[in-house]
Amino acid sequence: METAKKTGRKKQTWTADDILAAYMERVAAEATPFKTTVQFCQAAQIPESAFFEHFGSLEDLPHTVWTRFFENAQTILSNDASFATYSGRDKLLTLYFTLFEIFALNRGYLLYVLKENKEGLANLAQLRGFRKEFLEYVKTFVSEPSGEAQQKWQKYRQPIYAEGAWVQFLFILKFWLDDRSKGFEKTDILIEKSVNTAATLLDTQPLENLFDLGKFLWKERR
């Protein structure tokens, strides 16, 4: 989703993406949150009727921005015919690179809503829908086990891998917000190294050992 450049010009029709782009542009430029729908619509010259055709409240916008980011990344990957043939490691790597390319196009907005507004961890609430889509998508990167003995671990492998990838994503996102390297090359290096580490979670044996250790510790506590 690109930032709108024509928010000062009156439009005959406004799509949801037009409104989201106007919102992102205004928030990034003014570095202040809008408190009411009226305030935002007046600043962006959007008729309130057009706004309410697509959104129920102003609070919907930051959440929808994040889900749009993820949907755009999914669209890019689904249009890549070779993506389906990638290993789980390479799929996760490509997803991260695609997301952070999208983030780079909207860095001014993201810096404000995640860092400069001083809201701290409260900012993560707007990622709720993004997180849900992220987890479901990343679960598909875990290949089906080939042996019957391994199939019992599949229900553990998928959520463990997805939740691990989510924590990893947040770590990379925090690093990217502070990254001042040219072309965010340090973030690219971090993505590569992090994914190489996370790929070990796709191996069944380490997860079996981890699960067995968990069972042992649980029994010892009783």
Side-chain angles (χ1 to χ4, degrees):
M1 180 170 51
E2 297 180 355
T3 302
K5 300 298 183 182
K6 300 178 180 179
T7 54
R9 179 169 61 87
K10 292 184 178 180
K11 297 167 63 70
Q12 294 300 313
T13 59
W14 286 83
T15 67
D17 282 346
D18 288 334
I19 295 171
L20 291 173
Y23 174 76
M24 293 168 63
E25 180 186 356
R26 292 288 175 174
V27 168
E30 300 178 20
T32 183
F34 290 101
K35 296 182 179 180
T36 67
T37 302
V38 172
Q39 182 187 30
F40 164 63
C41 288
Q42 289 179 346
Q45 297 185 25
I46 300 172
E48 283 188 74
S49 58
F51 178 92
F52 287 112
E53 284 181 11
H54 302 285
F55 301 100
S57 69
L58 188 65
E59 289 72 23
D60 291 343
L61 298 186
H63 296 273
T64 306
V65 165
W66 279 100
T67 56
R68 274 295 196 279
F69 285 157
F70 197 81
E71 289 166 358
N72 289 347
Q74 281 186 297
T75 298
I76 291 170
L77 297 180
S78 65
N79 289 334
D80 181 356
S82 60
F83 182 75
T85 67
Y86 290 173
S87 65
R89 172 198 173 279
D90 289 341
K91 285 180 178 179
L92 185 61
L93 189 67
T94 306
L95 173 62
Y96 283 159
F97 280 137
T98 302
L99 282 172
F100 281 92
E101 286 174 3
I102 293 171
F103 293 167
L105 295 174
N106 301 280
R107 185 171 172 85
Y109 171 79
L110 292 175
L111 282 175
Y112 177 74
V113 299
L114 292 179
K115 186 177 180 181
E116 296 171 359
N117 66 5
K118 310 299 183 183
E119 292 293 325
L121 292 176
N123 293 318
L124 296 182
Q126 63 190 281
L127 276 72
R128 198 169 294 133
F130 178 99
R131 179 180 183 276
K132 181 178 179 181
E133 293 196 27
F134 179 96
L135 293 177
E136 290 303 311
Y137 192 56
V138 171
K139 284 178 184 179
T140 67
F141 297 171
V142 182
S143 59
E144 291 292 330
S146 56
E148 182 178 346
Q150 294 182 350
Q151 290 180 357
K152 65 177 181 178
W153 302 109
Q154 186 69 0
K155 65 179 179 179
Y156 303 112
R157 294 174 77 220
Q158 287 185 326
I160 288 175
Y161 183 67
E163 290 289 353
W166 175 249
V167 173
Q168 183 183 70
F169 166 77
L170 292 178
F171 174 72
I172 297 170
L173 179 61
K174 173 61 171 65
F175 184 91
W176 176 80
L177 290 170
D178 297 326
D179 189 3
R180 297 296 182 267
S181 63
K182 181 178 63 177
F184 310 112
E185 56 188 15
K186 289 184 179 179
T187 297
D188 290 345
I189 294 171
L190 178 64
I191 289 173
E192 288 260 13
K193 291 184 179 296
S194 298
V195 170
N196 286 339
T197 301
T200 61
L201 289 175
L202 288 173
D203 296 330
T204 301
Q205 191 61 44
L207 287 179
E208 290 182 3
N209 294 340
L210 179 62
F211 187 70
D212 287 341
L213 175 61
K215 288 196 298 183
F216 170 76
L217 293 174
W218 177 255
K219 288 179 181 178
E220 290 299 306
R221 289 181 57 190
R222 299 177 65 180

